[in-house]
Amino acid sequence: MSAWRQAGLNYINYSSVAAQILRRSLKPEFRADALKRDASHVRITPWADGKPAAKAQQAK
Amino acid sequence: MALAFRNTLRAARSLMVRGYAEAAPAIKEGEMALTLAAGNKVFYNKVAVKQIDVPSFSGAFGILPKHVPTLAVLKPGVVTVYESDGKQAKIFVSSGTITVNEDSSVQVLAEEAHPVESLDRSAAQEALSKAQSEYNSAGNEKAKAEAAIAVEVAEEIVKAAS
C-alpha cells in the first residue's frame, strides 16, 4: 500500500494535490489562468426545523 | 376545413421524413478513437490515432488498436499520442483515469493536463524544493503524505520539462 493511502488519503486527495502542483509548474503565460482553478468555494448553512440553524459558514 | 387540415398534416409528414444518420467518422484499420480531456481543455475528441502510451499505477503501458478492455488509474506523467499522420504529441497529465473499451475506443480523463511545451522547468524545480521542505517540516502523517505526493509529481514534471 502506498504511503498516502496509509495516511488516510484517497485518490481524490492525491489527484487534487497532483493537479495543484502541475498548475504551479506551468510557464508564466499559462500559470495565472490555471491558478484560478486552484480555489473552490462552498457555503454551508446547517438547517434545523425548516429554518437555518446557524449563519452560513465558508468552507474551504 | 377538414381537407385543409389534412393537407397541412400531409405537408407536415413529408417534412418529418427520416433519413439515415450521418455516418460517424470512419476509424481505419490500425487506428482507434481517442478522447483525451481534462478539466482545463479537451485535447482529442474521438480522433483516430495509432498508439497511446500512458503512465498508470499498474505501470506505464502502450495501447494499440484491439487492446484488451482495461481500466486504470493515471499516475502523474507524460501521455504520448501517436497521431494518424505520424506526429507525436506529449501531454502531461496530473492524475485521472484511462479506459480502453471493447471497440478499441480509448478515454483518458485527467484532472489537469497540459502539453509538455507549456511546462516550466524552473517553476517545477521551485515547486519541488518547496514540497521537499514541506515534507521535512510536516507536523502530522497526513501533511507528510501530501508533501510526498507533491514531491513525486514535481519530480515527474521536472523530468518531463527537460
Side-chain angles (χ1 to χ4, degrees):
Chain A
M1 201 157 83
S2 47
W4 50 272
R5 285 291 271 167
Q6 214 122 38
L9 297 178
N10 54 32
Y11 187 68
I12 300 289
N13 304 133
Y14 180 97
S15 181
S16 72
V17 174
Q20 202 176 63
I21 296 297
L22 177 54
R23 285 193 281 261
R24 285 180 196 167
S25 307
L26 293 172
K27 286 189 176 152
E29 60 262 41
F30 308 111
R31 203 183 306 153
D33 206 34
L35 287 180
K36 287 183 198 152
R37 285 190 294 277
D38 255 359
S40 67
H41 304 282
V42 180
R43 200 180 285 273
I44 299 169
T45 310
W47 281 56
D49 302 326
K51 283 182 185 143
K55 272 208 165 160
Q57 301 160 2
Q58 197 85 258
K60 214 175 102 187
Chain B
M1 181 66 196
L3 187 74
F5 178 67
R6 206 173 297 151
N7 281 341
T8 329
L9 206 65
R10 195 171 298 148
R13 205 173 292 145
S14 68
L15 282 176
M16 287 194 300
V17 170
R18 285 182 137 206
Y20 291 105
E22 210 173 297
I27 303 291
K28 278 183 278 176
E29 181 76 22
E31 292 182 348
M32 55 196 159
L34 167 69
T35 300
L36 195 162
N40 56 302
K41 194 183 168 183
V42 176
F43 290 87
Y44 297 89
N45 188 2
K46 296 178 188 154
V47 176
V49 300
K50 285 182 178 151
Q51 185 187 333
I52 309 148
D53 294 345
V54 291
S56 87
F57 273 92
S58 27
F61 60 99
I63 304 157
L64 289 164
K66 294 179 185 153
H67 192 282
V68 65
T70 306
L71 279 174
V73 180
L74 291 178
K75 221 178 156 88
V78 178
V79 171
T80 311
V81 179
Y82 299 79
E83 294 175 358
S84 59
D85 59 2
K87 263 190 260 167
Q88 269 184 39
K90 288 178 183 287
I91 295 157
F92 194 97
V93 294
S94 67
S95 48
T97 61
I98 159 98
T99 314
V100 183
N101 299 296
E102 184 110 43
D103 66 350
S104 272
S105 64
V106 177
Q107 282 90 42
V108 180
L109 302 175
E111 177 155 351
E112 190 85 21
H114 292 275
V116 285
E117 302 86 60
S118 310
L119 300 176
D120 188 319
R121 196 183 154 87
S122 62
Q125 247 147 2
E126 209 175 290
L128 175 61
S129 55
K130 189 163 165 253
Q132 277 163 338
S133 70
E134 267 168 24
Y135 180 81
N136 291 326
S137 65
N140 57 50
E141 211 189 332
K142 210 169 160 182
K144 211 175 177 74
E146 275 176 1
I149 297 166
V151 169
E152 181 194 337
V153 179
E155 276 173 352
E156 279 303 317
I157 299 172
V158 170
K159 235 197 281 170
S162 51

